[in-house]
Amino acid sequence: MRKFILGLLMLPIMAQAQTLEECQQAAEHNYPLIRQYGLIEKTTELTVANIQKGWLPQVSASAQATLQSDVTAFPDQIQKVYQQMGIDMQGLRKDQYRVGIDIQQTVFDGGAIRSQKEIARQQGSVQAAQNEVNLYNIRKRVNEMYFGLLLINEQMKLNGDLQELLAANEKKLASMLKGGTAAESDFQNVKAERLKVVQQATGLEAQRSALQKMLSAFCGIEVKEAVKPTTSIQYPITNNSRPELMAIDAQLRLADAQEKALDAALMPKLGVFAQGYYGYPGYNMFEDMMSHKWSLNGIIGARLTWNIGALYTRKNDKAKIQLQRETVENIRDVFLFNNNLEQIQQNENIVRYKKLMADDNEIISLRSSIRKAAESKLSHGIIDVNDLVKEINNENAARVQQTVHEIEMLKEIYDLKYTTNQ
């Protein structure tokens, strides 16, 4: 069912995935672990079907030949009487033969088969829940690559703006050089700085290409552009629906099913049977004493059995299941404790980045004013070109810092959504 739903979600995604959610859905659909769902389901179905066959008649065939040291016989006094009467009582032969079939049908098993099927289903649920946990971890890997790609894209945009700004100042210095108001070294200094920024763009492009290829391979689709996600998230977070908690619930349900199976093991069992064989001797022993012929023999009946051996270990078995529950509950407590610490840290990081971003625009505005003033001062010969380059780099650093704060805040928000599965 999950694979079918993911397939429907993938229909609109043809050649590329742009949003983070689309990439996450594509990655889950593409990851080989998704096939585990079908394998687990089929294995569970086969196991349950095999257990259900416990209601079918159990048929066994057998053949045997024996040679006995002694057989049932009349006392010598009775044999003498028969001889006097002219009756030849040969007695049973010591070599005996039997080819037969045995059929047994369970009528009432005290709920044992039903309990076994429930345990098999719950074991399948535990495996599927654990597989869900493993698939959920894919989202974090997608987040890391996606936000890394977003950050590089923003840095490349700022790099392009910086190149344009340096190119404009380079052009201005070239004009000043012709007019004799600027030195050759000033022009070369700005040009060298622009070429350094071009080199940085080349490095950023290589990083972006590598991340795009990795993300595309991970998602199974071509990821050309990453779209900056929205910052919407519900506060306060009142529900934690992580798949790890679902897996813990599945393990507790398995323990419940195992405990019910202990009760079924104490119930009596009723069945009917039929046995038949062809051989010697048969059930008519006296006839076989007189005639050593093979014959058909059969018997039908009902059998009630009650094995109280389960009582010997019942107390310990129930204690083991209770310890199993307590262990699982402890795992839940540990997970929730660590998960809560992650939420605290991520919430604090979000608040911190918001505070930093509140000052970023003003810092950029100030750095931009200082840079423009430096350009004017350079035109009037008040400062040298090194001071201008410094102010240009300061402004660019402020813009980069703003971008880093924004992307990091977005990443923290989506890491929080991952932590709580919101």
Side-chain angles (χ1 to χ4, degrees):
M1 178 60 70
R2 175 184 173 87
K3 188 174 182 180
F4 175 73
I5 293 174
L6 284 174
L8 292 178
L9 292 173
M10 287 296 299
L11 289 177
I13 309 174
M14 301 302 294
Q16 62 182 8
Q18 294 184 343
T19 68
L20 178 59
E21 289 77 10
E22 288 172 343
C23 283
Q24 289 174 342
Q25 293 168 6
E28 288 187 18
H29 183 75
N30 181 61
Y31 203 63
L33 201 60
I34 190 69
R35 294 194 293 270
Q36 284 286 349
Y37 284 107
L39 298 175
I40 292 171
E41 183 179 357
K42 289 179 181 178
T43 301
T44 302
E45 289 176 356
L46 291 173
T47 302
V48 171
N50 284 342
I51 295 173
Q52 180 65 26
K53 286 179 171 57
W55 287 111
L56 296 178
Q58 305 300 308
V59 181
S60 61
S62 63
Q64 71 176 35
T66 60
L67 180 62
Q68 300 180 194
S69 61
D70 205 355
V71 292
T72 303
F74 286 108
D76 293 340
Q77 293 83 351
I78 296 179
Q79 287 188 9
K80 288 178 181 180
V81 173
Y82 280 136
Q83 289 174 0
Q84 291 173 1
M85 295 173 61
I87 300 175
D88 183 15
M89 186 62 67
Q90 300 179 29
L92 293 178
R93 294 177 55 174
K94 293 183 178 181
D95 56 322
Q96 299 182 3
Y97 309 90
R98 176 179 296 195
V99 178
I101 188 169
D102 188 350
I103 302 175
Q104 299 189 39
Q105 172 65 58
T106 300
V107 177
F108 175 74
D109 70 343
I113 291 178
R114 182 176 66 251
S115 298
Q116 292 172 14
K117 290 195 296 183
E118 182 62 22
I119 288 175
R121 292 191 184 99
Q122 293 303 330
Q123 287 174 337
S125 297
V126 170
Q127 293 176 359
Q130 186 57 51
N131 196 61
E132 180 73 21
V133 171
N134 296 334
L135 274 176
Y136 186 76
N137 293 332
I138 292 173
R139 297 188 187 183
K140 191 169 186 178
R141 297 172 65 179
V142 172
N143 285 355
E144 295 290 338
M145 289 185 283
Y146 195 89
F147 283 104
L149 184 59
L150 273 178
L151 182 58
I152 290 178
N153 285 341
E154 294 298 320
Q155 288 176 334
M156 290 193 67
K157 291 178 184 178
L158 293 176
N159 183 279
D161 294 340
L162 181 58
Q163 287 186 49
E164 291 180 4
L165 181 59
L166 287 170
N169 280 278
E170 183 181 341
K171 183 178 180 180
K172 184 186 298 184
L173 284 168
S175 176
M176 292 173 64
L177 180 62
K178 289 181 180 179
T181 57
E184 179 73 20
S185 59
D186 293 337
F187 171 78
Q188 293 174 344
N189 192 347
V190 173
K191 183 177 182 180
E193 191 67 24
R194 180 181 61 81
L195 292 176
K196 185 176 73 173
V197 174
V198 171
Q199 285 183 328
Q200 292 174 356
T202 302
L204 289 171
E205 178 61 37
Q207 294 179 46
R208 181 171 69 172
S209 177
L211 267 177
Q212 281 180 329
K213 290 178 181 178
M214 288 174 60
L215 189 57
S216 297
F218 199 77
C219 297
I221 52 178
E222 185 179 1
V223 182
K224 292 183 178 180
E225 292 296 334
V227 177
K228 189 183 299 184
T230 61
T231 58
S232 61
I233 188 169
Q234 297 178 3
Y235 288 102
I237 299 173
T238 58
N239 181 35
N240 191 328
S241 57
R242 281 286 290 266
E244 288 87 346
L245 299 176
M246 310 302 175
I248 289 172
D249 291 338
Q251 293 179 47
L252 292 174
R253 290 193 297 270
L254 174 60
D256 293 339
Q258 290 171 335
E259 189 169 32
K260 290 180 180 179
L262 294 180
D263 297 332
L266 285 177
M267 299 296 292
K269 296 173 177 56
L270 176 65
V272 295
F273 65 91
Q275 297 175 346
Y277 72 91
Y278 178 66
Y280 171 84
Y283 291 140
N284 191 341
M285 189 175 297
F286 292 109
E287 179 70 25
D288 291 333
M289 285 183 177
M290 299 180 65
S291 175
H292 298 161
K293 294 181 179 180
W294 286 35
S295 62
L296 288 172
N297 303 271
I299 184 174
I300 61 173
R303 181 183 294 115
L304 179 66
T305 59
W306 194 353
N307 183 6
I308 62 173
L311 284 172
Y312 305 150
T313 59
R314 178 178 174 80
K315 182 178 179 180
N316 289 340
D317 289 339
K318 288 180 73 71
K320 286 170 60 179
I321 292 176
Q322 183 57 33
L323 288 174
Q324 179 181 334
R325 285 197 186 96
E326 292 176 4
T327 300
V328 173
E329 290 291 356
N330 180 255
I331 292 174
R332 185 204 299 274
D333 292 340
V334 171
F335 174 80
L336 289 175
F337 182 84
N338 291 331
N339 188 268
N340 184 57
L341 290 181
E342 288 183 22
Q343 291 184 48
I344 292 173
Q345 181 179 5
Q346 289 161 352
N347 276 307
E348 289 300 317
N349 287 340
I350 292 171
V351 171
R352 176 167 60 89
Y353 283 123
K354 284 184 176 180
K355 290 180 178 179
L356 291 173
M357 290 175 63
D359 297 328
D360 281 334
N361 286 330
E362 185 177 359
I363 293 173
I364 290 173
S365 178
L366 293 172
R367 287 296 180 187
S368 179
S369 297
I370 294 172
R371 185 260 307 167
K372 291 176 181 178
E375 289 175 339
S376 176
K377 290 177 181 179
L378 179 66
S379 300
H380 293 84
I382 300 175
I383 62 172
D384 60 21
V385 74
N386 289 324
D387 293 326
L388 174 62
V389 170
K390 178 182 176 182
E391 297 305 331
I392 290 176
N393 287 332
N394 286 339
E395 181 187 2
N396 180 68
R399 295 183 184 278
V400 170
Q401 196 70 10
Q402 182 190 44
T403 297
V404 170
H405 289 161
E406 181 183 10
I407 299 300
E408 287 294 335
M409 188 192 70
L410 284 173
K411 184 177 181 300
E412 287 292 338
I413 289 175
Y414 275 82
D415 283 346
L416 179 59
K417 294 177 72 172
Y418 168 84
T419 301
T420 59
N421 193 23
Q422 189 184 80

